[in-house]
Amino acid sequence: ISRRSPISFLIASKDALLIAFSTSSSAATMPVSIKVAEEKLEIKPSVSQFIIPLGATINMNGTALYQAVATVFLAQVFGIDLTLGQLLLVMIITVGASIGTPSTPGVGIIILATILSSVGVPPEGVLLIIGVDRILDMSRTSINVAGDLVACSVLDRLTKDNLGSLINLKEVP
């Protein structure tokens, strides 16, 4: 949609993605993300300064994916077969919970325990994941920040297209 090559997009976004990976915090990455969006991705400041803070608050796609996969993994570890209804419930809860997740390191594991108990998986299973959670947290934060930059890029492209059609409409007698 934004008419950018995924490779060139990732190369241009590398500064923000590295900061996100090292800090595990979308909030700490915000200033760098805005700078990358405006200077390297050439996104209008009005778009980047609106989308990046909003995305750091509610766009936690990496967190939602992690919580859903971890829930299914732990259900399998405990020998619990999740029904289609339970999987649908996991999907709805993880998306909802990821919207309200604070953009600070380590919070996803606490929310995971709540999701586990809602579908009948023992929350003690979190102990199996907690040892590698820091690495997973770094990865999901990078995905969250990449999602914010993609949203900026797409919205910037859509606003340019709409602005161009509005200008063309005014020129027609």
Side-chain angles (χ1 to χ4, degrees), residues 102-158:
S103 54
T104 53
V107 174
I109 202 81
I110 297 166
I111 293 175
L112 177 61
T114 306
I115 293 169
L116 290 174
S117 63
S118 70
V119 291
V121 177
E124 297 82 25
V126 168
L127 296 174
L128 295 171
I129 295 178
I130 207 159
V132 294
D133 186 61
R134 177 64 179 173
I135 297 166
L136 297 172
D137 197 10
M138 294 162 69
S139 300
R140 65 182 176 255
T141 302
S142 297
I143 293 170
N144 294 341
V145 169
D148 297 343
L149 291 171
V150 167
C152 277
S153 191
V154 168
L155 188 63
D156 187 59
R157 178 68 185 175
L158 291 175

Side-chain angles (χ1 to χ4, degrees), residues 6-169:
I7 301 298
S8 66
F9 176 83
L10 290 173
I11 290 170
S13 304
K14 73 177 187 256
D15 293 343
L17 297 176
L18 288 173
I19 295 291
F21 188 78
S22 63
T23 62
S24 295
S25 172
S26 299
T29 310
M30 267 196 292
V32 177
S33 294
I34 291 171
K35 183 178 178 181
V36 164
E38 292 173 3
E39 294 177 6
K40 297 196 177 174
L41 296 174
E42 299 174 352
I43 294 170
K44 292 183 297 221
S46 60
V47 172
S48 67
Q49 293 174 12
F50 176 72
I51 295 296
I52 299 288
L54 183 65
T57 307
I58 64 171
N59 182 28
M60 302 290 186
N61 44 2
T63 303
L65 287 169
Y66 159 75
Q67 290 171 347
V69 169
T71 300
V72 171
F73 168 73
L74 290 171
Q76 290 176 345
V77 166
F78 287 107
I80 299 170
D81 291 326
L82 296 176
T83 65
L84 186 60
Q86 287 175 312
L87 289 173
L88 184 62
L89 180 64
V90 166
M91 184 180 71
I92 292 168
I93 291 174
T94 56
V95 169
S98 68
I99 291 172
T101 302
S103 54
T104 53
V107 174
I109 202 81
I110 297 166
I111 293 175
L112 177 61
T114 306
I115 293 169
L116 290 174
S117 63
S118 70
V119 291
V121 177
E124 297 82 25
V126 168
L127 296 174
L128 295 171
I129 295 178
I130 207 159
V132 294
D133 186 61
R134 177 64 179 173
I135 297 166
L136 297 172
D137 197 10
M138 294 162 69
S139 300
R140 65 182 176 255
T141 302
S142 297
I143 293 170
N144 294 341
V145 169
D148 297 343
L149 291 171
V150 167
C152 277
S153 191
V154 168
L155 188 63
D156 187 59
R157 178 68 185 175
L158 291 175
T159 56
K160 283 180 185 173
D161 286 348
N162 289 337
L163 184 60
S165 33
L166 287 174
I167 291 170
N168 290 336
L169 286 175

